[in-house]
Amino acid sequence: MPSPPEDCLFCGIVRDGTYVAQTKGFVAIADINPQAPVHLLVIPERHVDTFRDVGAFPAREAKRMLEFVADTASGAGLTDYRVQVNVGPTAGQTVFHLHWHVLGEAARAHGAEALTTAVSEL
Ligand code: 5GP
Ligand code: ZN
């Protein structure tokens, strides 16, 4: 597998960032430019450019990634939400390190403080 680009933004965030949730091999962060009241990004530590290459994940890791997407949403207090992956520039992908958007209108718990508490308990 080719090595990740040295200047990959999300490889840097995985290394040095502040997470709202974390599990082995995956982190979740708050989107810097939220498009919904709750907008989180689930990022695998493994650098894969786009969802087109999702087969690069071993099956168990791919399953854990999907479970972590669901756990991140429920940990943020969301019951109803959208999961989005933009694949390629014309579909809106701007960061070429696979990531999952989790977008929700309202956390079950009220306010950002409650959200932080909820996700830190993941
Ligand atoms: P894409 O457009 O590739 O599907 O999603 C990239 C997302 O990353 C965008 O929603 C954008 O707001 C977010 N983003 C870009 N740079 C940063 C950053 O430095 N920190 C965080 N937390 N999010 C970022
Ligand atoms: Zn990367």
Side-chain angles (χ1 to χ4, degrees):
M1 190 183 302
S3 51
E6 275 176 25
D7 58 350
C8 174
L9 175 68
F10 283 179
C11 281
I13 286 179
V14 163
R15 271 195 309 271
D16 308 323
T18 304
Y19 318 129
V20 296
Q22 186 175 17
T23 190
K24 185 168 173 286
F26 305 95
V27 303
I29 64 170
D31 197 290
I32 202 170
N33 181 24
Q35 303 298 308
V38 178
H39 187 171
L40 305 177
L41 301 172
V42 168
I43 307 173
E45 288 178 9
R46 182 190 293 276
H47 179 99
V48 170
D49 285 353
T50 80
F51 182 77
R52 275 185 228 109
D53 302 324
V54 71
F57 291 88
R60 287 174 63 91
E61 202 174 317
K63 177 173 184 284
R64 290 184 53 252
M65 177 162 63
L66 292 175
E67 287 172 342
F68 183 58
V69 170
D71 289 348
T72 296
S74 63
L78 297 171
T79 48
D80 295 4
Y81 54 89
R82 289 182 292 130
V83 174
Q84 180 172 325
V85 180
N86 299 325
V87 188
T90 62
Q93 185 174 7
T94 58
V95 178
F96 289 83
H97 177 134
L98 172 64
H99 53 280
W100 304 72
H101 296 259
V102 176
L103 299 129
E105 291 310 311
R108 194 169 49 234
H110 298 293
E113 194 179 317
L115 170 65
T116 307
T117 306
V119 294
S120 68
E121 286 166 1
L122 275 177

